[in-house]
Amino acid sequence: MLSALRSRVRAARDLRLLRPLVTRVDRMWWARVIRRAGVVDVEYVRAQVGRPVSEAEAVRLYVTGGFRRGLRLSPLFVDTAVGDHLPEAWRVPALYAYLVADPRGLQVSPLWDAVAYGRSHPDAWGVPGGPVGHAWRNRQTHSLPFGPSAEPSATAWPTLARVIVDATARARRGGEVPAQAGGTPLVREFIIALGPNEWDFDESLAEAVSFAAVAGQGAAIAVMDDRIEDWMLASLMAAGMPRVRISRRRHDDAARALDELVRTSAAEVVVVRGANETLTARDAERLAARVEAAPTRTHVAPVWRDGDGTIAAIGATGEGRFLAGHPIEDLSAFGDDVALEVPSLAGATFASRRADIDAVLRGTDPASTLTGSAVIALDVESRTRSAAGPSSISGLAVDADDLLIRAGWNRAGDGPRPRLRRPRRSVVLADGATVPVLRWALRTATPVGPRAEGWGDTHFARALAAALRRLGQEVVIDSYAARHRSTRHLDDVTVALRGPEPLEPSPYGVSLLWIISHPDEISASDVVGFDHVFAASAPWARVAGAEFGTRIDPLLQCTDATRFRPSGLDRGRSVLFVGTARGILRPSVVEPIRAGIPVDVIGPDWRGWIPASRIQAIGIANEELPALYEAAGVVLNDHWPAMQDRGFIGNRLFDVVAAGGRAISDRVEGIDELFGGAVRQWDTVAELIGVLSEDLDDAFPPADDLGAISARIRTEHSFDARARTLLDAAVAGR
């Protein structure tokens, strides 16, 4: 009922005449929900706007656009920390979205763990405002919760209240705050520059909180942006947690701000993290431990990745940042080594004994000024969130020849820089064919970092890469941001795995296009320049090929047969769905639940669409899926409308059947021929409910028949089979 009403309201927003009225009603409802929760800190809001306001006006300012401009209503709630996990948080205020959602499993701030708080206070889940409301109403007696365990701060609420207001007012007025000298001797200190472009600032603060929660460890944070919330949170963190120092610097030289914190540190070992970078508390501890185990004057840095996912540097040589612009897979030549000695470090993220830092930190590569032994921890990564700036490395006279050879490269006399080449090699395949070892680049539409794990294209590319490697090939994977990386001239073959974003042919080597989804966005110009074009739909390939005047060969999606295969698990009775809500009312999930069928849902952004009791988890590790599919009574599946209309069969069905599972899917041309009775199709909701309401064992073939279908899918429609097709096309294209 609620989902249907939401759909009607959303449709009304798209009507120009009704939009103003719906917007006004929305805001009135948002304000009502927020005020009834009793979580507003009026003094905090007054300090942000610089004048007296009532609670009603504070909430009105927030819901009428203040939430987009950085206005916040509670020091316990950080909008950006929770927004990605709530439906429509891009449109509605995140605080409202939280208050109408089931708060279980949701984190709301980098300074305290709301889930841990709920475990300690079970009654918090059911009160207005959830853990936020519960903690706020208990602040006078218990102060505010802090840290990974969400224990009450040792600092009383009246003191924290003054800190919140004073810090907010200071940030609004502007001005600098110098770093205070560390007064407590520490074993380790995590030193962070919070840069002006660091929109994921809550993640950085959360890692600092986690690090400083360990005995003997502390954190120091230089806030270098103008966001009021950042300085308030840093100040609150310093007031509520021991062993935390802060500074506020308005200049744009992150190295100077870091240098100030290093000079005033009282720690034996410091882990320095540059502005707008990612480094987890766990990895900071690993870097510190490497320094503590090494001889004096040893400086250790992680592998530094750029914002597009490529390597920004693994140290530096006389030619600058080593392996800059290379895909991360180019580190595989170093094998199982976890430490690589280099002439110098690069970037701004490193760990050292504080006494061994004998140079002033300056420039975009302050780590390069350190003297002593420079070591790269090959199993630890940091990443610049946007893009690494130009290098400030100078004065190094050491060449990179030995390192290049270790990395598997030879120097090339001419061509684009870097002027490198792989030694020519060939491999004999299982069928006796001899083929060259080629360097393949798989281009995708995926983002960089943890968000990529939720993309099916990410796992598709990894499975294809593994299959090509089993054919003796060298493979790298590019995110969408890296599609024009500076080292693409080193690739022999480029495979554009076309999804929702356009991918151009490479000007170097052989270019193959494999259209695996979103066929409605493909035009004739999108296939121009490729040496061979494939599509994951036989009917669309035939029609589009004739329309575009280009040969398009069918190459269906597939499964990783090395992982998706039966393991002998007993089949249960559960009805399972794995996937996102996509921001729409997906009938394959919502309608069975409305009909009283208990669907177990795993995926993000389902809150508000279905009862929270049906959401088993917001995500699952990809390696856990085969067992899940095999043991389910049936797996539900549906397709994007454009894929359904044009005969593109999603790879989830291949995975489910290959694992020995059974599926029910919306109707797509070719499913019956591919999967036989292992996949039941439906055209109407009534048909879907009908199949789910009958005995599932009667709806599908017997076990022996399903086993035969599963074996055929693993043989004929595996990534290994697809990789061989692509290899043959690449060799022919050369």
Side-chain angles (χ1 to χ4, degrees), residues 649-706:
I649 301 171
N651 75 310
R652 189 178 306 280
L653 292 179
F654 291 93
D655 291 344
V656 171
V657 176
R662 310 181 298 199
I664 300 175
S665 175
D666 51 359
R667 187 171 300 280
V668 179
E669 181 179 351
I671 282 182
D672 284 340
E673 292 78 7
L674 273 173
F675 303 109
V679 177
R680 287 286 301 268
Q681 299 187 78
W682 57 274
D683 292 297
T684 67
V685 169
E687 290 178 357
L688 170 62
I689 301 303
V691 175
L692 289 172
S693 299
E694 62 181 283
D695 188 324
L696 291 175
D697 290 339
D698 293 336
F700 292 93
D704 289 346
D705 292 349
L706 288 173

Side-chain angles (χ1 to χ4, degrees), residues 231 298 382 500 647:
W231 180 244
T298 298
S382 68

Side-chain angles (χ1 to χ4, degrees), residues 111 143-147 151-156 159-160 163 233-244:
L111 302 192
S143 193
L144 297 184
F146 271 89
E151 293 293 328
S153 171
T155 306
T159 300
L160 295 182
V163 168
L233 288 170
S235 300
L236 186 58
M237 178 180 170
M241 295 185 68
R243 306 186 301 275
V244 173

Side-chain angles (χ1 to χ4, degrees), residues 283 286-287 290-291 294 298-305 311-317 320-323 328 331 334-351 365 367-368 370 372-382 393 403 406:
D283 283 343
R286 293 169 69 193
L287 293 176
R290 300 282 174 87
V291 168
T298 298
H299 313 285
V300 181
V303 172
W304 179 21
R305 296 184 72 168
I311 297 171
I314 54 167
T317 70
R321 295 169 177 167
F322 186 58
L323 291 187
I328 196 67
L331 296 184
F334 297 111
D336 295 330
D337 292 344
V338 296
L340 177 68
E341 190 164 357
V342 292
S344 173
L345 298 184
T349 299
F350 64 92
D365 291 88
S368 68
L370 303 172
S373 297
V375 175
I376 302 297
L378 293 173
D379 56 340
V380 180
E381 290 185 358
S382 68
I393 297 171
L403 283 175
R406 285 195 61 187

Side-chain angles (χ1 to χ4, degrees), residues 312-666:
I314 54 167
T317 70
E319 297 174 338
R321 295 169 177 167
F322 186 58
L323 291 187
H326 282 248
I328 196 67
E329 290 87 354
D330 281 351
L331 296 184
S332 62
F334 297 111
D336 295 330
D337 292 344
V338 296
L340 177 68
E341 190 164 357
V342 292
S344 173
L345 298 184
T349 299
F350 64 92
S352 299
R353 292 181 177 85
R354 182 174 55 87
D356 291 342
I357 300 178
D358 55 1
V360 176
L361 302 181
R362 288 292 184 268
T364 56
D365 291 88
S368 68
T369 65
L370 303 172
T371 60
S373 297
V375 175
I376 302 297
L378 293 173
D379 56 340
V380 180
E381 290 185 358
S382 68
R383 178 174 59 84
T384 296
R385 289 184 171 90
S386 52
S391 175
S392 62
I393 297 171
S394 63
L396 291 177
V398 183
D399 65 46
D401 283 353
D402 290 343
L403 283 175
L404 284 173
I405 292 172
R406 285 195 61 187
W409 294 99
N410 292 332
R411 297 252 184 217
D414 55 10
R417 292 183 181 277
R419 291 176 178 166
L420 305 173
R421 62 168 174 255
R422 291 292 201 205
R424 296 189 180 278
R425 296 170 293 157
S426 61
V427 61
V428 179
L429 302 181
D431 61 4
T434 299
V435 296
V437 176
L438 304 175
R439 178 180 172 88
W440 295 65
L442 307 184
R443 301 274 160 80
T444 71
T446 60
V448 179
R451 283 177 293 183
E453 297 305 312
W455 281 59
D457 290 16
T458 297
H459 305 289
F460 191 95
R462 288 175 183 167
L464 178 58
L468 285 165
R469 290 177 186 129
R470 287 192 287 272
L471 293 174
Q473 305 299 296
E474 176 187 348
V475 191
V476 304
I477 301 174
D478 290 325
S479 69
Y480 193 68
R483 65 192 185 280
H484 296 143
R485 60 176 162 80
S486 60
T487 56
R488 57 184 175 158
H489 62 279
L490 302 177
D491 308 326
D492 298 310
V493 186
T494 298
V495 181
L497 297 174
R498 176 61 195 266
E501 301 292 344
L503 290 166
E504 304 86 0
S506 174
Y508 308 100
V510 177
S511 284
L512 308 178
L513 174 64
W514 189 2
I515 301 166
I516 59 175
S517 66
H518 294 77
D520 53 318
E521 299 181 16
I522 306 294
S523 65
S525 61
D526 291 313
V527 303
V528 172
F530 288 95
D531 297 293
H532 205 132
V533 180
F534 299 95
S537 166
W540 186 87
R542 181 175 61 253
V543 173
E547 179 184 345
F548 299 160
T550 301
R551 175 183 170 183
I552 302 178
D553 288 333
L555 192 65
L556 305 186
Q557 291 204 34
C558 50
T559 187
D560 182 355
T562 66
R563 295 175 51 244
F564 289 93
R565 55 193 316 110
S567 59
L569 296 176
D570 292 335
R571 195 183 309 282
R573 308 301 302 172
S574 64
V575 179
L576 174 69
F577 180 87
V578 181
T580 70
R582 297 178 183 163
I584 60 175
L585 193 155
R586 297 181 74 164
S588 60
V589 178
V590 174
E591 296 297 346
I593 292 176
R594 285 179 179 172
I597 296 171
V599 181
D600 294 335
V601 177
I602 297 176
D605 66 20
W606 279 103
R607 296 172 188 269
W609 294 107
I610 61 177
S613 60
R614 301 304 340 146
I615 304 173
Q616 306 303 306
I618 62 173
I620 184 172
N622 198 253
E623 57 268 18
E624 296 178 29
L625 286 174
L628 202 65
Y629 291 158
E630 182 182 8
V634 70
V635 179
L636 300 179
N637 179 77
D638 61 17
H639 295 79
W640 286 99
M643 294 183 67
Q644 181 186 17
D645 293 343
R646 294 163 176 82
F648 280 74
I649 301 171
N651 75 310
R652 189 178 306 280
L653 292 179
F654 291 93
D655 291 344
V656 171
V657 176
R662 310 181 298 199
I664 300 175
S665 175
D666 51 359

